[in-house]
């Protein structure tokens, strides 16, 4: 099967909105099956919630942080997901993250429930969590357009095609199918953040509209920290917090395979309740520098209040994930939403489970729907 082969004289072109795990997996799978794919991503690079943050210090040194999903596990033994993991491992895109993991109780100020090493396998992208998406979005048959926000996704009834317009009014062309991997693209939350109407109008797909409108989510703030010396008082590489109203998770990012060890870098995640309180006060618009500085101070203060003898970091910066974690799954056994009449798929972790594994499974399901539909048209 040749890439870009045509249907009725029109090249098979699919647009994928979003370059997170689900979008990248879908794009790569379609391209490997002879479909020409264009990925549109509003950010400067791929990854979505598995993106990597790059911070350049005054002395020119660069700090890298996995400031989204810290790792992923596989609870499913689904053949297609396991096959992908095996391929990524063989390509050097992922590796197992080994170390001690557990929990910290803020009432007793003690580590508890240390996991038996090797019992639960955690995987990370190498050299960063975004490495997987970066590789998939660079494969033959996939064209990736970063820093390209989509302002309107319009169904042309007469042509039976989709037309995509950029936020700047640029016409990005017509496509036979569209894959949406960003749940906010049809949500009122998009308007709350940007002040613009959502790019995709689902009035022609009421069944999809009912399921995807305003998916409940939990926000999260993260704090990226750089220390000159290892935190010798912390025996674990990653741990959850118990009995804290501020912190839910901490991990040593520099302990992951393929990372620089010139400094020790940690990432803290806030609780959903803390993030909701801050957002209720400040709103969903882009947070101010003053607000983010206050958040950074509060998260660091909570960590230093654990009695773990945490020194002052040489670097501290907060980031907000406004709609990071979906609180429900909307697609059931189908693993994605699908409108066959308009060749429109919606995929993401919110379709299956709030995890990297869920995003992978949903991206594969969306690719299967489109591939089967396009094949029937040949």
């Amino acid at each position: 099967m040749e890439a870009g082969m045509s249907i009725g004289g029109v090249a098979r072109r699919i647009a994928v909105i979003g370059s997170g795990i689900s979008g990248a997996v879908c794009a790569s799978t379609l391209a490997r099956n002879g479909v020409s794919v264009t990925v549109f991503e509003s950010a400067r690079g791929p990854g979505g919630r598995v993106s990597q943050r790059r911070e350049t210090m005054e002395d020119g040194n660069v700090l890298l942080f996995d400031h989204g999903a810290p790792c992923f596990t596989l609870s499913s033994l689904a053949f297609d997901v396991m096959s992908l993991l095996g391929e990524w491992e063989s390509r050097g895109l992922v590796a197992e993250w080994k170390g001690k993991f557990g929990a910290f109780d803020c009432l007793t100020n003690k580590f508890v429930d240390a996991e038996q090493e090797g019992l639960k396998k955690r995987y990370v992208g190498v050299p960063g969590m975004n490495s997987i998406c970066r590789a998939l979005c660079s494969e033959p048959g996939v064209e990736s357009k970063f820093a390209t926000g989509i302002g309107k996704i319009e169904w042309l009834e007469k042509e039976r095609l989709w037309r995509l317009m950029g936020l700047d009014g640029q016409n990005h062309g017509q496509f036979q199918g569209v894959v949406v991997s960003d749940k906010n693209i049809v949500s009122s939350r998009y308007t709350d953040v940007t002040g613009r109407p959502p790019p995709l109008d689902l009035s022609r797909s009421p069944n999809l509209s009912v399921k995807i409108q305003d998916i409940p989510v939990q926000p999260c703030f993260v704090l990226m920290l750089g220390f000159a010396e290892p935190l010798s008082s912390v025996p674990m590489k990653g741990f959850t917090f118990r009995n804290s109203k501020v912190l839910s998770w901490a991990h040593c990012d520099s302990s992951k395979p393929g990372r620089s060890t010139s400094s020790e870098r940690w990432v803290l995640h806030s609780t959903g309740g803390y993030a909701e309180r801050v957002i209720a006060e400040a709103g969903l618009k882009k947070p101010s520098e003053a607000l983010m500085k206050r958040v950074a101070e509060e998260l660091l203060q909570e960590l230093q209040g654990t009695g773990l003898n945490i020194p002052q970091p040489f670097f501290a910066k907060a980031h907000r994930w406004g709609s990071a974690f979906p609180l429900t799954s909307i697609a059931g056994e189908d693993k994605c939403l699908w409108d066959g009449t308009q060749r429109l798929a919606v995929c993401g972790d919110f379709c299956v489970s709030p995890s990297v594994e869920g995003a992978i499974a949903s991206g594969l399901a969306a690719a299967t729907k489109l591939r089967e539909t396009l094949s029937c048209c040949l």
Side-chain angles (χ1 to χ4, degrees), residues 355-376:
S355 64
V356 173
E357 179 185 1
I360 294 171
S362 186
L364 287 170
T368 297
K369 291 289 188 183
L370 275 162
R371 191 173 71 241
E372 291 174 349
T373 298
L374 294 175
S375 297
C376 291

Side-chain angles (χ1 to χ4, degrees), residues 50-125:
V50 294
S51 57
Q52 188 179 61
R53 187 69 168 261
R54 179 186 182 93
E55 297 287 344
T56 303
M57 308 299 291
E58 290 183 359
D59 59 6
N61 287 332
V62 174
L63 303 179
L64 298 174
F65 296 91
D66 291 333
H67 66 311
C71 60
F72 66 96
T73 61
L74 292 184
S75 58
S76 167
L77 296 179
F79 176 76
D80 51 358
V81 176
M82 295 299 293
S83 296
L84 265 187
L85 175 62
E87 179 196 329
W88 293 347
E89 280 190 294
S90 66
R91 294 173 61 183
L93 297 178
V94 303
E96 185 181 353
W97 182 21
K98 299 179 180 179
K100 292 183 178 179
F101 299 88
F104 183 85
D105 190 333
C106 290
L107 288 181
T108 62
N109 281 357
K110 291 182 179 180
F111 284 98
V112 295
D113 294 343
E115 290 182 10
Q116 180 181 338
E117 289 193 50
L119 186 63
K120 183 178 182 180
K121 289 191 174 183
R122 291 174 171 83
Y123 297 94
V124 296

Side-chain angles (χ1 to χ4, degrees), residues 183-320:
K183 59 185 174 294
N184 293 322
I185 212 163
V186 298
S187 169
S188 60
R189 194 178 296 113
Y190 181 91
T191 303
D192 294 338
V193 174
T194 67
R196 303 185 185 96
L200 180 60
D201 179 5
L202 283 179
S203 59
R204 290 177 174 270
S205 303
N207 292 336
L208 267 63
S209 179
V210 169
K211 292 182 178 180
I212 198 174
Q213 282 288 351
D214 300 321
I215 297 170
V217 295
Q218 187 170 74
C220 178
F221 284 93
V222 300
L223 178 61
M224 299 165 281
L225 298 170
F227 296 94
E229 301 293 336
L231 302 187
S232 56
S233 62
V234 182
M236 296 184 178
K237 300 305 181 185
F239 54 93
T240 57
F241 286 88
R242 293 183 183 173
N243 299 307
S244 172
K245 294 182 178 180
V246 178
L247 293 176
S248 64
W249 167 263
H251 74 266
C252 181
D253 213 47
S254 50
S255 71
K256 297 177 181 178
R259 270 62 170 180
S260 167
T261 55
S262 58
S263 63
E264 180 146 305
R265 299 176 304 286
W266 282 77
V267 178
L268 312 180
H269 289 206
S270 78
T271 62
Y274 171 86
E276 287 170 352
R277 289 194 298 274
V278 173
I279 290 175
E281 171 191 326
L284 277 172
K285 293 291 178 70
K286 184 178 180 180
S288 66
E289 289 187 15
L291 175 65
M292 297 307 287
K293 183 178 180 181
R294 192 194 90 190
V295 167
E297 291 171 349
E298 291 176 351
L299 297 187
L300 179 58
Q301 183 179 15
E302 183 77 358
L303 178 66
Q304 291 179 325
T306 58
L308 289 173
N309 192 27
I310 305 296
Q312 280 297 114
F314 68 82
F315 175 85
K317 191 170 186 178
H319 174 82
R320 185 190 74 181

Side-chain angles (χ1 to χ4, degrees), residues 13-17 36-42 143-154 156 161-178 199:
R13 300 180 66 209
I14 299 297
V16 175
I17 314 300
S36 178
V37 182
T38 303
V39 176
F40 294 93
E41 171 60 59
S42 59
E143 178 187 10
S144 295
K145 296 187 176 183
F146 300 115
T148 304
I150 297 299
K152 190 171 185 179
I153 305 170
E154 181 182 14
L156 305 176
L161 297 170
W162 290 96
R163 178 169 61 195
L164 270 63
M165 304 294 293
L167 288 171
D168 57 0
Q170 180 181 350
N171 186 345
H172 289 291
Q174 297 179 355
F175 299 83
Q176 289 186 303
V178 168

